Amino acid sequence: MILLLFSGGMDFLHGKIINHFRGQWQSKLALIMSISINLFVLGFFKYGNFLAENLNLFLGDFFPTHSFSLPIGISFYTFQTLSYTIDVYRNKVSVQKSYLSFQLYVSMFPQLVAGPIVRYGDIDTMFDLRSTTVDDFYEGAFRFICGLGKKVLLANYAYQVYSDVLVGNLSKITVSQGWLGLLMYTYFIYFDFSGYSDMAIGLGRIFGFRYPENFSYPYFSLSITDFWRRWHISLGNFFRDYVYIPLKGNREHQIRNIAVVWFLTGLWHGANWNFIIWGRYFGVLLILEKYFLAEIRSRVPVFLRWLGTFLFVMIGWGIFSFDEILKLNQETMNFHHLMSMFEFFQILFGFSDRPVFDYLSLLLIFQKSFFILLCFLCSTPLFCHFIQKTKNNFYGYFVQISFTAALTFLSIVSLLSDTYNVFLYFKF
Amino acid sequence: MHKRLKLIAIVLFLLPFFALGLLSVLDSDEVLSMEENRNLAQKVSPTFQTLVNSEFTADYEVYYQDQFPYRTELIACNQMINFLYSLNIPSNLVSFFSGILYQKDTPKDEIIPPVISPEMEEQPSELPPVEEPVPEPEPDLTWYGNSDFFIPYAEDIAYIDSFNYITSNSSIELYEYTPERLAQYAHILNAYGDALPEVDTYFMFVPNSAEFYLPNSIQNSLDSQEDGFVYMSSLLSDQIGTIDLFPVFSAHLEEYIFFRTDHHWTTRGAYYACEAFLEATGVTALLPDDYTYGYREDFLGSLHSVSTMFTNSLENYPDVVEYFIPNMPSTATLYHTAEMTDGTEIDLVQPDYNLEDSLYHVFLGGDAAILDIQTEVGNGKTLVLVRDSYGHAILPHLLPYYDRIIAVEPRYFNTEGFPSLNLIDFVEKVEADDLLFLSYSIPLSGFYWWMDWCQVVEGMHPNWGA
């Protein structure tokens, strides 16, 4: 909380200085200070331990590590306030005169914890002029409940299956269990993240704000480039506008620029080697796609392009979640862990002595088959398409209202069921 | 028109939230959840410290979840979600899957029996004929009465994950072999053995029904409890005698040795374990001439509560709690501290136990921190039994063999809010001849997270204790 107020206060001040001394050296200094302070705060809390532990490998226990927990939303609000000062400096947005309005922007709870990254320019006109109509409330509430349903009814359960099948089980999984676990993580992360974004967008709408979209059916992408245009759009746009283009984007050193952006993208997601490898993995895929696969891709049937993209994305999630699969619990990955990652992919691709199926795998796959189908269907635009089609007739409203009521009820039931803990060891 | 419909929708959206909020304030708080077998969180008052360290908000969230209006009824509705998310697997499909893979699987161990079903009995065996084993003499079960409540475990699957295996008539906890945890426990037991060289110390690892009643094909995909026992035994010093219950239970698989809806063994299972323990101490178990036998029907145990998230079918196959107690003079006194003062006399078996929580409480009436049982056997022998709830059902069977049996429940000592107990001093003080550590397999499994059994037993050792 204190950090949030500090971050907001500092950048409000920096914005004022930049605006007041526009075109003078003080303006540049304020921008540099804003960038440095934000990156230092983020670096200290999020990457401090990671950096210290890795440097200590060479220097003994030279750097102390801290035990602070990561402040909530730090990755999001530092980027938001950064975008504000940079945009004020670039004269793309007007400086905010009211500290309260600025702090409202920084601490807006719907999107504070899990995005989307709302840039100041996205909503600057809405602080004073926003209004909430019946339409806004209706659409916002519907969007919120859809997000809640995604999170509670799909993401939580997908995570439960992933966790049950894969987490801590590397020594015994079969090939099919490995893929089932990975598929569940793939759906978990989408429904979790996009569910939060839907809830944020819906709540924002209820309060009169229009937040940018953050996801656009990413699992129906036909290439990795396409995937990253549909996945966490606000982050992609942030890195494009504040890193890639300033590095001269496509015009000079494109490969280097892509490499830098994807190194940072990986690092932004977490302070561990798996995230860095994950960023690098997508960086390499994007470079390959851009320079070598563009022509071949156009000759491949659409279904195979979709399937190929989906598989590469799934593999990416295998790298991304590997610290969790190993149950590392914030521990920094070492060489031994990286070798385990290699073994994990050996298992997935059948280069190990693990069977493709065992009895348990067959049972699990059958047992979860409806859920897998449901996840697949919910990740397509089918449902949204249906809502749009029936939007303006009575039956459409009826369906939408019934659906919202059912989702609300089922979400409450499911949330409560997570608290149902049969305690075998009490009073026995 | 559209605007009006949207207004109605908005009201419908807001109404349940306000209604639930209002109900949360108005309804009275529950204390106990029978289904979950636990106390529900109660309202907490904020203090400056708990507000600053977020403890208050975390506690209040737990309280609100536990006291949510119509919580039990709403949770019951979750079954329909689970019904879709975890499809029931009918027995013919289970057999089909088994058929696909059966030839690839080699039976993990001879002690794992095939689940008996008419279909399987009809299948021609492809295995070479095995020499008929010499039949063992049938045990005299007359002292159990003439009833036999065993029914075969169903072959369909209502739900399976790493922790639970639920069929239409049984719910079984699964075991995870975790060498680190077993090594830790062996290390602790060795320390007790070293500290008490004059006392005969034993360890009884009680496997649960998962080891015996799951189909071979599923067994091959799971960790073996016997592997866990063998590994742990290999780490125990000569000072610790081990009791191997795997062959003991394997010889009685068509008897009612485990409940199907509860995580405990039955009085029969406990009796066979008692026989094995006595054998390890060099004593031959003799069936008493005079005893009281009875049973209570319609027992739906703790694992039935787990199963209700997926199926109601177990309600059609309730368990029966048989009890047996030798008719001999004995007194059992319950104490809450190691000093054993202010005791309360209780009955080892309470046939009329009528609280709704669990009929397993027919034994002792529930947990007991220290139970001091005095008999008039006259052999001068004292046993200290360090046990979990599996110990409840074994106590009546031990009566004819000891002058004094003191059952200690480690979870009631050395943790916050409980008195301390130094087990070594305690054993020396009561001049015990035998010391038996009894634990069922699941608390020694990697899946177990509610309470660390190793830690509570470790807590009673003066070098490690709190």
Side-chain angles (χ1 to χ4, degrees):
Chain A
M1 193 68 173
I2 293 165
L3 204 63
L4 185 81
L5 290 172
F6 168 77
S7 193
M10 286 302 288
D11 283 326
F12 176 72
L13 208 62
H14 286 132
K16 285 256 186 199
I17 295 169
I18 290 167
N19 189 52
H20 187 75
F21 294 102
R22 190 168 293 286
Q24 298 173 44
W25 64 269
Q26 292 94 330
S27 173
K28 192 171 252 178
L29 180 68
L31 177 69
I32 292 169
M33 279 182 66
S34 166
I35 294 173
S36 309
I37 291 171
N38 275 304
L39 293 184
F40 174 77
V41 167
L42 187 62
F44 178 76
F45 283 101
K46 192 167 173 181
Y47 304 107
N49 278 353
F50 176 64
L51 205 62
E53 280 170 20
N54 280 289
L55 288 173
N56 284 346
L57 288 177
F58 304 102
L59 303 171
D61 286 335
F62 187 75
F63 290 104
T65 53
H66 64 72
S67 56
F68 313 128
S69 46
L70 193 65
I72 290 171
I74 191 168
S75 306
F76 290 96
Y77 67 72
T78 48
F79 271 35
Q80 291 193 173
T81 56
L82 255 183
S83 81
Y84 168 71
T85 47
I86 295 171
D87 285 353
V88 170
Y89 182 80
R90 288 173 171 176
N91 219 356
K92 283 189 170 175
V93 295
S94 314
V95 73
Q96 175 56 256
K97 293 191 174 61
S98 157
Y99 173 69
L100 274 181
S101 293
F102 186 71
Q103 200 60 60
L104 171 68
Y105 160 66
V106 179
S107 59
M108 231 164 358
F109 77 89
Q111 42 74 241
L112 181 67
V113 180
I117 298 169
V118 179
R119 284 198 258 169
Y120 184 75
D122 294 330
I123 55 167
D124 59 344
T125 55
M126 297 170 203
F127 289 115
D128 302 320
L129 300 174
R130 72 179 183 279
S131 62
T132 304
T133 63
V134 170
D135 273 351
D136 283 332
F137 202 109
Y138 177 81
E139 299 288 341
F142 181 66
R143 188 73 186 265
F144 175 81
I145 293 297
C146 284
L148 182 70
K150 274 185 181 177
K151 164 68 187 152
V152 174
L153 297 172
L154 297 173
N156 285 3
Y157 191 75
Y159 187 81
Q160 199 182 312
V161 180
Y162 152 77
S163 181
D164 185 43
V165 170
L166 212 51
V167 174
N169 286 341
L170 217 51
S171 59
K172 31 187 177 182
I173 52 163
T174 60
V175 175
S176 55
Q177 274 174 319
W179 283 105
L180 175 67
L182 206 51
L183 182 67
M184 288 293 96
Y185 190 84
T186 302
Y187 282 124
F188 152 71
I189 197 158
Y190 170 61
F191 290 123
D192 187 79
F193 202 176
S194 73
Y196 273 124
S197 289
D198 286 341
M199 285 191 271
I201 292 167
L203 276 177
R205 188 90 187 258
I206 289 173
F207 298 142
F209 290 99
R210 298 267 182 147
Y211 295 156
E213 290 296 331
N214 213 19
F215 291 87
S216 176
Y217 308 105
Y219 290 156
F220 286 84
S221 309
L222 298 179
S223 67
I224 297 298
T225 313
D226 190 20
F227 173 75
W228 279 104
R229 283 194 195 116
R230 295 155 169 262
W231 180 275
H232 203 172
I233 299 166
S234 61
L235 181 74
N237 290 347
F238 184 94
F239 278 116
R240 184 196 62 204
D241 295 344
Y242 299 108
V243 181
Y244 188 67
I245 292 175
L247 288 172
K248 297 198 170 145
N250 300 343
R251 286 176 289 139
E252 282 178 32
H253 309 298
Q254 194 185 9
I255 292 181
R256 181 205 65 183
N257 297 345
I258 290 174
V260 169
V261 165
W262 287 95
F263 170 74
L264 293 175
T265 303
L267 200 59
W268 182 85
H269 282 85
N272 217 333
W273 286 109
N274 56 320
F275 298 111
I276 294 173
I277 296 170
W278 175 77
R280 285 275 180 229
Y281 166 80
F282 275 111
V284 170
L285 284 181
L286 286 165
I287 291 166
L288 285 175
E289 211 169 74
K290 212 163 207 49
Y291 288 96
F292 305 105
L293 300 173
E295 278 197 22
I296 304 168
R297 215 178 55 207
S298 59
R299 291 200 293 270
V300 176
V302 170
F303 173 74
L304 289 181
R305 275 157 61 189
W306 165 76
L307 189 65
T309 307
F310 189 70
L311 279 177
F312 278 114
V313 169
M314 271 179 81
I315 293 165
W317 294 134
I319 301 169
F320 186 90
S321 66
F322 201 71
D323 58 335
E324 238 176 298
I325 292 174
L326 287 185
K327 285 185 168 174
L328 287 187
N329 196 23
Q330 313 284 323
E331 187 190 334
T332 299
M333 289 180 91
N334 57 31
F335 181 72
H336 175 70
H337 299 137
L338 295 177
M339 288 311 291
S340 301
M341 187 190 284
F342 181 67
E343 283 164 27
F344 173 54
F345 285 106
Q346 275 187 317
I347 295 169
L348 284 185
F349 289 100
F351 297 112
S352 71
D353 56 357
R354 305 293 172 83
V356 177
F357 289 104
D358 66 1
Y359 188 61
L360 190 61
S361 325
L362 279 175
L363 293 176
L364 281 173
I365 291 167
F366 177 82
Q367 187 179 245
K368 309 300 175 203
S369 53
F370 179 81
F371 180 68
I372 295 170
L373 181 68
L374 188 67
C375 286
F376 174 80
L377 289 175
C378 292
S379 65
T380 68
L382 279 175
F383 177 70
C384 197
H385 185 69
F386 172 76
I387 293 291
Q388 288 297 328
K389 273 251 178 196
T390 57
K391 201 171 180 178
N392 291 319
N393 64 54
F394 178 79
Y395 295 106
Y397 282 118
F398 180 75
V399 169
Q400 209 169 340
I401 291 167
S402 312
F403 179 74
T404 311
L407 268 190
T408 310
F409 176 75
L410 292 174
S411 298
I412 291 172
V413 163
S414 185
L415 277 172
L416 275 177
S417 299
D418 290 343
T419 70
Y420 183 78
N421 297 316
V422 178
F423 208 66
L424 304 184
Y425 245 35
F426 171 73
K427 289 186 75 185
F428 284 100
Chain B
M1 170 68 179
H2 289 171
K3 200 167 181 177
R4 198 171 296 165
L5 280 171
K6 284 182 177 176
L7 271 173
I8 293 169
I10 290 168
V11 171
L12 286 175
F13 168 74
L14 293 174
L15 201 63
F17 293 104
F18 283 112
L20 286 170
L22 198 64
L23 276 170
S24 302
V25 178
L26 295 178
D27 72 346
S28 55
D29 291 350
E30 302 281 332
V31 177
L32 187 71
S33 166
M34 293 296 182
E35 294 80 12
E36 295 162 86
N37 196 29
R38 67 178 178 95
N39 282 328
L40 296 172
Q42 300 300 303
K43 194 177 249 173
V44 280
S45 302
T47 62
F48 178 73
Q49 200 183 349
T50 56
L51 276 172
V52 170
N53 65 16
S54 310
E55 220 173 87
F56 171 72
T57 45
D59 288 348
Y60 201 89
E61 191 179 340
V62 175
Y63 158 73
Y64 189 69
Q65 286 168 350
D66 274 4
Q67 302 294 347
F68 199 84
Y70 300 109
R71 179 173 177 271
T72 309
E73 292 78 7
L74 287 168
I75 286 174
C77 297
N78 195 51
Q79 206 185 80
M80 66 187 165
I81 301 176
N82 281 329
F83 182 74
L84 291 174
Y85 282 8
S86 299
L87 300 179
N88 282 15
I89 310 176
S91 56
N92 52 2
L93 202 58
V94 172
S95 306
F96 173 73
F97 288 148
S98 178
I100 293 174
L101 295 168
Y102 193 74
Q103 290 184 337
K104 290 184 193 168
D105 296 338
T106 46
K108 185 181 260 180
D109 199 296
E110 289 300 320
I111 68 159
I112 302 164
V115 172
I116 298 155
S117 73
E119 298 96 67
M120 286 183 78
E121 278 179 351
E122 283 163 19
Q123 283 172 5
S125 166
E126 292 179 12
L127 298 171
V130 183
E131 244 179 68
E132 282 290 317
V134 180
E136 284 183 23
E138 284 291 313
D140 178 6
L141 292 176
T142 50
W143 57 268
Y144 286 113
N146 294 318
S147 57
D148 188 351
F149 299 106
F150 177 76
I151 59 169
Y153 284 58
E155 291 187 338
D156 59 345
I157 299 173
Y159 181 74
I160 182 169
D161 63 14
S162 299
F163 316 100
N164 301 290
Y165 180 90
I166 300 168
T167 73
S168 54
N169 73 359
S170 63
S171 180
I172 298 174
E173 285 179 288
L174 301 180
Y175 170 82
E176 187 190 33
Y177 171 61
T178 321
E180 315 82 59
R181 180 171 280 218
L182 296 168
Q184 183 195 352
Y185 195 43
H187 177 60
I188 294 164
L189 295 191
N190 285 340
Y192 283 112
D194 291 344
L196 296 163
E198 304 301 318
V199 181
D200 291 333
T201 305
Y202 301 91
F203 166 59
M204 185 186 281
F205 178 105
V206 185
N208 77 348
S209 54
E211 191 74 359
F212 306 101
Y213 292 106
L214 297 180
N216 276 344
S217 34
I218 198 86
Q219 280 281 0
N220 288 336
S221 307
L222 299 174
D223 288 349
S224 154
Q225 297 174 58
E226 192 170 20
D227 286 351
F229 169 71
V230 169
Y231 175 69
M232 194 173 153
S233 301
S234 73
L235 300 177
L236 289 172
S237 68
D238 296 341
Q239 194 69 32
I240 314 287
T242 53
I243 293 126
D244 184 357
L245 294 181
F246 292 87
V248 174
F249 288 157
S250 297
H252 298 281
L253 288 178
E254 288 185 48
E255 292 174 42
Y256 195 34
I257 53 176
F258 292 103
F259 293 116
R260 285 171 292 96
T261 70
D262 192 72
H263 64 289
H264 293 104
W265 55 14
T266 62
T267 196
R268 258 171 228 254
Y271 174 76
Y272 292 127
C274 176
E275 261 188 345
F277 167 65
L278 291 171
E279 194 183 321
T281 63
V283 173
T284 307
L286 296 170
L287 290 169
D289 301 326
D290 186 19
Y291 59 88
T292 302
Y293 169 81
Y295 57 85
R296 293 281 301 273
E297 290 180 294
D298 296 328
F299 171 40
L300 291 170
S302 55
L303 297 176
H304 159 258
S305 299
V306 175
S307 76
T308 55
M309 296 295 274
F310 308 98
T311 176
N312 288 330
S313 173
L314 268 69
E315 283 159 24
N316 303 322
Y317 304 94
D319 273 306
V320 177
V321 183
E322 291 179 283
Y323 53 85
F324 156 82
I325 184 162
N327 291 333
M328 54 187 289
S330 68
T331 57
T333 313
L334 168 66
Y335 297 102
H336 298 288
T337 63
E339 288 72 37
M340 296 201 284
T341 49
D342 298 328
T344 314
E345 208 160 299
I346 63 163
D347 292 328
L348 283 185
V349 173
Q350 301 175 12
D352 299 324
Y353 185 85
N354 61 2
L355 294 181
E356 285 174 23
D357 43 2
S358 170
L359 275 185
Y360 187 70
H361 291 179
V362 160
F363 303 107
L364 315 188
D367 270 355
I370 290 185
L371 196 63
D372 187 2
I373 303 165
Q374 313 259 3
T375 70
E376 293 174 13
V377 174
N379 64 3
K381 286 182 75 179
T382 297
L383 166 72
V384 172
L385 171 64
V386 178
R387 52 37 166 214
D388 57 23
S389 55
Y390 269 58
H392 297 12
I394 203 172
L395 281 170
H397 302 304
L398 289 165
L399 289 183
Y401 308 98
Y402 288 94
D403 257 356
R404 192 177 183 195
I405 302 165
I406 305 173
V408 176
E409 167 57 271
R411 289 167 296 169
Y412 284 75
F413 294 98
N414 303 327
T415 50
E416 203 182 333
F418 289 104
S420 61
L421 185 148
N422 176 334
L423 186 65
I424 293 166
D425 287 351
F426 184 82
V427 169
E428 282 171 350
K429 190 177 120 192
V430 300
E431 296 176 357
D433 302 282
D434 295 337
L435 170 62
L436 170 62
F437 290 91
L438 182 155
S439 167
Y440 93 109
S441 60
I442 303 297
L444 301 175
S445 154
F447 290 149
Y448 200 79
W449 64 92
W450 289 306
M451 184 173 286
D452 190 332
W453 181 253
C454 302
Q455 206 178 318
V456 291
V457 176
E458 189 180 53
M460 300 188 304
H461 193 289
N463 291 346
W464 293 312

